[in-house]
Amino acid sequence: MDEADKWRRVDLTLAIAAAVIVAYGVIVLDWSVFVVVALFWFENVVIGVLNVAKMLVSGARLGSLGLIAALALATFFTVHYGMFTVGHGVFVASLFGKAELGGSLNGLFAPLGRMLGYLMADRDGWFAAVSIAVLQAAAFLRWWTATREQPAALPALMFAPYGRIVILHVTVIAGGVLVEMLRQPVLGALLLIALKLAFDIASVSKASIAKGRSPLLPVPRLIISREDDATRP
């Protein structure tokens, strides 16, 4: 087994483990579609935080000028991605969370606070959130190892999470609306989990094919470098 195949297996294992955890919550703990979509949103938050860490690590590996550039880009990313994530979270809470959250969901940050409070209200929610964070941290360590000799490009890292999040959550939200219309909460929640898992597996396979076709480029001194693996979460 070569190095690329080993990392592909790691990525697939992490994706399947995340799906199994959420599916367990739906089947055994009676989680609703709202809880499933809220956990997917929480995963995006974790991915964003770890992406900032990736940018800082890559900048430090490129020297002092690289670190300065990483700090500037990370600041911009935090503001822009943060606004994107807040808006998406409010949309999720308003569209799927009315029954569970109850009351008015007006405002910008109040719905997010209530959604997080609902997720963390018991041990099962804490377990799911911590498990997602641990799995993403494992993916970060996998990225750390894979890019040790070939630092990731800072611009590529800054834009890396957006494509995944937009495509995935347009699909998830559309599926969630369909589920609400069909009134089959358990099957619907499992369908959303299956859609996300299929997307994650396709992303891993696409990244593996791209890596096999593209040779590594030498690392320049500053930040204008390329890394095929930069877009992996």
Side-chain angles (χ1 to χ4, degrees):
M1 183 188 302
D2 61 17
E3 193 74 8
D5 189 54
K6 182 182 76 171
W7 289 125
R8 178 176 175 275
R9 289 175 182 268
V10 170
D11 284 340
L12 289 175
T13 300
L14 293 173
I16 293 170
V20 168
I21 290 170
V22 182
Y24 174 85
V26 171
I27 296 170
V28 178
L29 304 177
D30 198 27
W31 287 352
S32 65
V33 171
F34 166 65
V35 173
V36 172
V37 179
L39 284 172
F40 291 165
W41 172 82
F42 176 76
E43 183 180 39
N44 286 342
V45 175
V46 175
I47 288 172
V49 171
L50 291 177
N51 199 58
V52 171
K54 289 180 181 181
M55 295 172 72
L56 297 177
V57 169
S58 293
R61 287 172 172 173
L62 293 166
S64 57
L65 292 179
L67 182 57
I68 293 172
L71 288 170
L73 291 176
T75 300
F76 175 82
F77 172 83
T78 300
V79 174
H80 188 271
Y81 186 87
M83 293 172 60
F84 180 89
T85 305
V86 167
H88 183 252
V90 171
F91 183 78
V92 167
S94 301
L95 185 61
F96 298 107
K98 291 181 179 179
E100 285 89 341
L101 301 180
S104 174
L105 295 175
N106 296 329
L108 191 59
F109 294 102
L112 300 183
R114 291 172 63 183
M115 182 165 63
L116 286 173
Y118 184 85
L119 287 177
M120 308 298 181
D122 56 29
R123 183 180 61 184
D124 297 327
W126 273 102
F127 172 76
V130 170
S131 297
I132 287 172
V134 168
L135 290 171
Q136 289 299 326
F140 173 79
L141 292 177
R142 164 257 190 276
W143 171 89
W144 177 297
T145 303
T147 59
R148 183 174 297 168
E149 296 181 359
Q150 183 74 13
L154 294 179
L157 283 174
M158 185 175 70
F159 293 107
Y162 290 100
R164 173 188 185 275
I165 289 171
V166 170
I167 295 173
L168 172 62
H169 282 276
V170 166
T171 303
V172 168
I173 290 172
V177 172
L178 179 62
V179 167
E180 293 291 329
M181 294 172 59
L182 295 176
R183 302 297 180 186
Q184 296 290 334
V186 174
L187 292 179
L190 293 176
L191 173 62
L192 293 181
I193 296 167
L195 286 173
K196 180 178 181 298
L197 178 59
F199 181 87
D200 287 342
I201 291 174
S203 298
V204 170
S205 300
K206 181 179 178 181
S208 178
I209 292 172
K211 179 174 279 293
R213 290 177 178 174
S214 302
L216 291 177
L217 298 180
V219 183
R221 177 56 184 159
L222 299 180
I223 65 169
I224 306 176
S225 60
R226 290 191 59 193
E227 167 57 47
D228 293 328
D229 197 53
T231 58
R232 293 295 306 138

